[in-house]
């Protein structure tokens, strides 16, 4: 894989690596090579030069929504670097905006991170002691620990702000947010100084203290850095450091009414925690000069952190804006943040994707500064390859058509041996019941079949997987002319090992015994959007929601699935991969379709 930061991600290399797992002989995680990219090259060079005693990275989400697959890429990068270079990685909540942050989001972030790194990098995860505000790290496995919070540093950040004022490098400003925007100018238009820029240090200290004491209403004043109103980088044009918000905070309660801006808290929090490599997505590249300015102008611990940027994940048929994902939730267009159609980590988990598959995708699609799009088919291929290896095979019929084997004894049941996983012979077989009446898929029968249709037809033969060859003798229809039953005869010598078992039959179909099948709610999930770029040409992304992204049906499943476990994955043979949904309860099983066996979208695209 190229280590050129501007090279496009080598997804073709990823496809070749992961394809090695399709035959079931080796897992995709084992097949993939160790990642190499420009950030890892920098880390390796820093280790060689002994620049840092230990590599310390961090994953710092704002708790204003659920994590999504774009965050998964960042998690895998930051924890992966720590894991590969003998370091540690902090989980920190960058919680500087109380109006949008909630405990629910904090809890979901912790759960998602633990799930994604479990058994892979959980040993490098670092928390802090509950109540500690000094940034001291401890293993996350210890008791009485919690993630790091930027809000734990509010007192220290406030002291830093006072130092900037005392050094003549920050001032209290009375301009409104609209006026500040106007005075800032633009890349092609010079800025102009605030009329409050030359307040005395004493006046600024007094006003900031009164801001902190709660004397002024929201928006009345801000604290701004005094840098350069005509800096080429507009983020250095006297940026905001603090604003007034009389809003309770999820972690600090009502203790504060002034809150630091993210850009002020970000680098200083990194410094307090001793972060060595602050890895961000590319939109923060223009913010790096402010990150460095703050560290240059304050007495922060050494060695100082450095910010590095990489291109965020952009995925086709997907939106990853938290604001837009929140719209889907609040407008009832999905059932919640963990709806299996959502690109959130919790939604992906509920859909049945394993952390190994998601890590393998996120870890190997490439880390560059190239702003491109990754085809969602690459993610889907990673999921299929993973499930092909691990999923237990089971029989299930989603749209049942009754079949009566007329020459099979009415009261007889036999148990046939069915393979659990053809790629893992050590998993053995399981017994499945066979009886006179069966269910097959409606689409496996055609009264007037098209060319090259090798399944069941009037007078035609087909092999029932693990069972007999049957011939369709009679088609039974209801008053509306709909086929409701097939009456067939079986070649009772054609079962495996029988005299006629080697007869050449082109079609093989799956089935379940009608007498023994269990009913289950089956949720057939598909892509949430019908267009590769839901936001193309500025359109409303909701206008291309896929009306068929969820279909709920009642399926007939083999009886062993009554004991299905949430942690297991299943392939309903010839259909798709499935998992048990948390909505399941005794007497009412619910299965989610994780992904189809083949890429049906690619076939539709090829048809034009």
């Amino acid at each position: 894989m190229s280590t050129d930061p501007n090279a496009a991600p080598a997804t073709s290399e990823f496809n070749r690596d992961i394809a090695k797992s399709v035959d079931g002989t080796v897992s995709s995680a084992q097949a993939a090579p160790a990642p190499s990219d420009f950030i890892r090259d920098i880390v390796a060079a820093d280790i060689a030069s002994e620049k840092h005693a230990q590599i310390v990275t961090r994953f710092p989400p704002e708790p204003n929504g659920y994590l999504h697959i774009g965050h998964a890429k960042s998690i895998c990068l930051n924890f992966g670097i720590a894991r590969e270079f003998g370091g540690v990685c902090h989980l920190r909540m960058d919680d500087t905006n109380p109006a949008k942050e909630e405990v629910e989001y904090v809890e979901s972030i912790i759960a998602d991170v633990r799930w994604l790194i479990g058994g892979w990098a959980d040993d490098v995860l670092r928390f802090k002691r509950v109540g500690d505000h000094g940034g001291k790290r401890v293993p996350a496995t210890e008791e009485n620990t919690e993630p790091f919070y930027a809000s734990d540093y509010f007192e220290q950040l406030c002291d830093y702000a006072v130092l900037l004022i005392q050094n003549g490098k920050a001032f209290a400003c009375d301009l409104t947010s609209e006026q500040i925007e106007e005075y800032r100018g633009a890349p092609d238009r010079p800025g102009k100084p605030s009329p409050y820029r030359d307040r005395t240090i004493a006046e600024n200290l007094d006003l900031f203290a009164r801001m902190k004491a709660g004397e002024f209403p929201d928006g009345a004043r801000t604290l701004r850095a005094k840098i350069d109103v005509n800096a080429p980088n507009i983020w250095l044009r006297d940026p905001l450091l603090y604003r007034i918000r009389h809003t309770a905070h999820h972690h600090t309660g009502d203790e504060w009414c002034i809150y630091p801006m993210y850009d002020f808290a970000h680098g200083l929090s990194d410094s307090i925690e001793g972060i060595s490599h602050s890895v961000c997505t590319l939109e923060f590249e223009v913010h790096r000069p402010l990150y460095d300015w703050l560290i240059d102008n304050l007495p922060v611990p050494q060695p100082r952190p450095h910010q590095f940027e990489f291109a965020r994940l952009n995925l086709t048929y997907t939106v990853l804006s938290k604001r837009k994902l929140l719209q889907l939730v609040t407008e009832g267009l999905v059932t919640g943040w963990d709806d299996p159609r959502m690109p959130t980590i919790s939604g992906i988990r509920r859909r049945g994707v394993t952390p190994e598959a998601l890590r393998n995708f996120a870890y190997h699609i490439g880390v560059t500064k190239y702003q491109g799009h990754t085809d969602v088919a690459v993610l889907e291929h990673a999921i299929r390859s993973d499930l092909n290896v691990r999923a237990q095979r089971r029989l299930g019929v989603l749209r049942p058509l009754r079949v009566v084997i007329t020459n099979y004894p009415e009261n007889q049941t036999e148990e046939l041996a069915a393979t659990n996983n053809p790629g893992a012979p050590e998993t053995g077989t399981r017994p499945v019941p066979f009886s006179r009446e069966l269910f097959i898929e409606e689409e496996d029968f055609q009264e007037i079949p098209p060319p090259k249709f090798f399944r069941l037809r009037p007078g035609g033969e087909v092999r029932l997987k693990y069972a007999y060859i049957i011939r369709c003798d009679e088609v039974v229809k209801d008053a509306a002319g709909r086929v409701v039953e097939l009456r067939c005869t079986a070649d009772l010598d054609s079962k495996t090992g029988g005299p006629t078992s080697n007869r050449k039959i082109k079609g093989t179909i799956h089935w379940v015994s009608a007498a023994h099948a269990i009913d289950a709610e089956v949720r057939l999930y598909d892509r949430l959007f019908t267009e590769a770029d839901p936001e193309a040409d500025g359109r409303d992304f909701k206008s291309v929601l896929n009306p068929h992204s969820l279909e709920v049906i009642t399926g007939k499943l083999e009886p062993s699935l009554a004991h299905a476990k949430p942690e297991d994955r299943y392939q309903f043979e010839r259909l798709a991969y499935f998992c048990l949904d948390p909505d399941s309860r005794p007497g009412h099983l619910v299965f989610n379709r994780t992904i189809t066996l083949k890429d049906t979208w690619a076939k539709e695209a090829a048809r034009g």
Side-chain angles (χ1 to χ4, degrees):
M1 186 177 292
S2 171
T3 58
D4 178 357
N6 296 308
T11 54
S12 60
E13 294 178 28
F14 169 79
N15 285 341
R16 288 196 299 272
D17 293 331
I18 201 168
K20 296 176 185 177
S21 71
V22 174
D23 63 0
T25 59
V26 60
S27 74
S28 55
Q30 291 171 324
S36 176
D37 53 68
F38 76 99
I39 292 180
R40 287 178 168 88
D41 289 348
I42 292 170
V43 175
D46 287 347
I47 290 175
S49 67
E50 299 182 348
K51 183 176 181 179
H52 299 280
Q54 184 182 33
I55 300 302
V56 184
T57 61
R58 85 287 178 271
F59 174 63
E62 182 183 0
N64 63 347
Y66 280 57
L67 299 182
H68 55 62
I69 193 169
H71 296 107
K73 178 179 178 179
S74 181
I75 293 169
C76 291
L77 176 58
N78 281 288
F79 280 90
I81 288 172
R83 175 177 177 266
E84 293 156 32
F85 293 97
V88 295
C89 184
H90 293 190
L91 173 59
R92 178 171 77 229
M93 305 296 161
D94 269 349
D95 54 345
T96 59
N97 185 1
K100 295 184 178 181
E101 297 158 355
E102 298 179 15
V103 172
E104 174 191 351
Y105 299 143
V106 172
E107 293 174 346
S108 74
I109 289 168
I110 296 170
D112 288 346
V113 169
R114 285 191 179 278
W115 174 79
L116 185 55
I117 68 171
W120 172 69
D122 41 358
D123 58 324
V124 303
L125 172 63
R126 292 297 180 267
F127 280 3
K128 67 174 187 68
R129 299 283 181 202
V130 174
D132 173 60
H133 294 177
K136 183 178 180 181
R137 70 184 69 97
V138 295
T141 53
E142 294 191 11
E143 294 183 359
N144 200 37
T145 58
E146 64 182 1
F148 294 86
Y149 291 87
S151 57
D152 279 333
Y153 313 135
F154 279 177
E155 193 67 52
Q156 190 166 350
L157 294 174
C158 193
D159 290 343
Y160 278 145
V162 170
L163 273 175
L164 289 175
I165 296 171
Q166 291 172 340
N167 293 330
K169 295 178 179 178
F171 66 97
C173 182
D174 298 359
L175 292 179
T176 65
S177 58
E178 293 80 9
Q179 289 171 326
I180 290 173
E181 189 70 24
E182 178 189 347
Y183 274 59
R184 178 186 290 165
D188 59 348
R189 190 175 75 250
K192 55 184 179 179
S194 164
Y196 309 100
R197 194 173 195 267
D198 294 326
R199 277 174 165 156
T200 66
I201 290 174
E203 186 178 6
N204 285 321
L205 287 171
D206 174 67
L207 287 172
F208 187 62
R210 291 161 66 190
M211 286 169 60
K212 181 182 176 183
E215 183 174 328
F216 307 118
D218 289 4
R221 285 188 168 88
T222 59
L223 184 72
R224 298 175 64 184
K226 187 187 290 188
I227 304 179
D228 182 355
V229 296
N230 285 310
N233 183 330
I234 63 172
W235 296 101
L236 292 179
R237 295 183 183 180
D238 292 1
L240 297 182
L241 303 180
Y242 267 88
R243 75 284 207 202
I244 301 170
R245 284 200 174 166
H246 293 269
T247 303
H249 188 279
H250 75 95
H251 190 60
T252 62
D254 295 318
E255 184 178 353
W256 294 88
C257 63
I258 57 169
Y259 292 95
M261 301 299 292
Y262 172 82
D263 279 346
F264 182 66
H266 175 206
L268 297 177
S269 297
D270 285 346
S271 177
I272 291 167
E273 294 176 16
I275 301 300
S276 62
H277 296 77
S278 180
V279 183
C280 306
T281 45
L282 204 55
E283 61 263 34
F284 292 100
E285 185 174 34
V286 293
H287 298 248
R288 182 168 12 113
L290 178 56
Y291 181 105
D292 292 337
W293 184 89
L294 289 165
I295 290 175
D296 287 341
N297 286 278
L298 288 166
V300 300
Q302 297 296 321
R304 57 186 283 164
H306 185 83
Q307 178 178 303
F308 304 90
E309 305 87 17
F310 69 99
R312 62 180 290 176
L313 174 65
N314 295 303
L315 199 62
T316 59
Y317 294 93
T318 309
V319 296
L320 294 178
S321 159
K322 280 187 182 178
R323 178 178 59 82
K324 291 173 181 175
L325 294 178
L326 180 61
Q327 273 186 267
L328 295 175
V329 174
T330 56
E331 294 178 21
L333 299 171
V334 293
T335 58
W337 285 100
D338 67 343
D339 187 305
R341 293 166 292 181
M342 290 278 274
T344 55
I345 294 178
S346 58
I348 291 168
R349 177 170 66 244
R350 185 172 182 178
R351 188 157 175 166
V353 177
T354 67
E356 291 84 359
L358 194 53
R359 285 200 306 264
N360 203 39
F361 166 75
Y363 204 43
H364 295 282
I365 53 175
V367 177
T368 73
K369 288 196 171 187
Y370 174 80
Q371 288 281 32
H373 277 75
T374 297
D375 193 323
V376 72
V378 177
L379 169 63
E380 293 170 344
H381 183 66
I383 296 168
R384 288 188 182 97
S385 297
D386 175 80
L387 293 177
N388 179 64
V389 174
R390 75 175 65 247
Q392 302 175 42
R393 274 48 172 182
R394 294 294 183 265
L395 297 176
V397 174
L398 302 186
R399 293 175 174 83
L401 173 61
R402 185 176 294 272
V403 170
V404 178
I405 311 296
T406 57
N407 63 331
Y408 195 88
E410 287 194 28
N411 298 318
Q412 180 173 312
T413 298
E414 62 179 311
E415 290 189 339
L416 305 177
T419 302
N420 285 322
N421 188 326
E426 67 277 9
T427 61
T429 62
R430 69 192 184 282
V432 292
F434 182 89
S435 61
R436 188 172 190 264
E437 296 193 12
L438 312 172
F439 290 119
I440 66 169
E441 293 288 346
E442 281 187 343
E443 65 176 22
D444 282 338
F445 172 78
Q446 289 283 331
E447 192 169 14
I448 304 174
K452 298 184 179 181
F453 181 84
F454 300 123
R455 287 164 281 168
L456 203 54
R457 66 179 75 193
E461 288 187 313
V462 72
R463 187 182 300 276
L464 299 177
K465 191 155 192 180
Y466 307 121
Y468 303 97
I469 297 169
I470 63 171
R471 183 184 70 245
C472 178
D473 301 318
E474 182 183 352
V475 179
V476 180
K477 300 181 181 181
D478 62 15
R482 178 174 171 269
V483 176
V484 294
E485 183 180 296
L486 304 177
R487 301 184 69 81
C488 302
T489 53
D491 179 350
L492 299 178
D493 291 326
S494 62
K495 190 170 62 174
T496 301
T500 60
S501 60
N502 292 325
R503 279 209 292 132
K504 300 297 182 184
I505 302 294
K506 288 187 175 181
T508 300
I509 64 174
H510 62 279
W511 53 275
V512 293
S513 168
H516 303 89
I518 59 173
D519 287 345
E521 178 181 327
V522 181
R523 299 172 181 174
L524 303 177
Y525 290 104
D526 205 343
R527 294 179 185 174
L528 189 55
F529 297 97
T530 59
E531 296 293 332
D533 184 357
E535 301 169 275
D537 303 320
R539 68 185 167 204
D540 181 357
F541 71 103
K542 293 177 292 184
S543 68
V544 291
L545 282 168
N546 181 5
H548 307 296
S549 62
L550 172 60
E551 181 183 4
V552 180
I553 60 176
T554 299
K556 302 286 187 179
L557 310 181
E558 70 168 75
S560 71
L561 285 167
H563 308 290
K565 299 176 181 178
E567 65 270 20
D568 288 338
R569 300 295 178 266
Y570 303 95
Q571 183 195 109
F572 292 1
E573 296 205 44
R574 300 179 62 242
L575 296 173
Y577 295 103
F578 291 85
C579 71
L580 194 67
D581 187 82
D583 286 345
S584 294
R585 60 183 187 274
H588 184 79
L589 296 177
V590 180
F591 285 89
N592 295 333
R593 183 172 69 186
T594 306
I595 199 163
T596 56
L597 296 184
K598 296 181 180 180
D599 185 354
T600 55
W601 285 78
K603 183 182 292 186
E604 289 300 318
R607 290 175 180 170

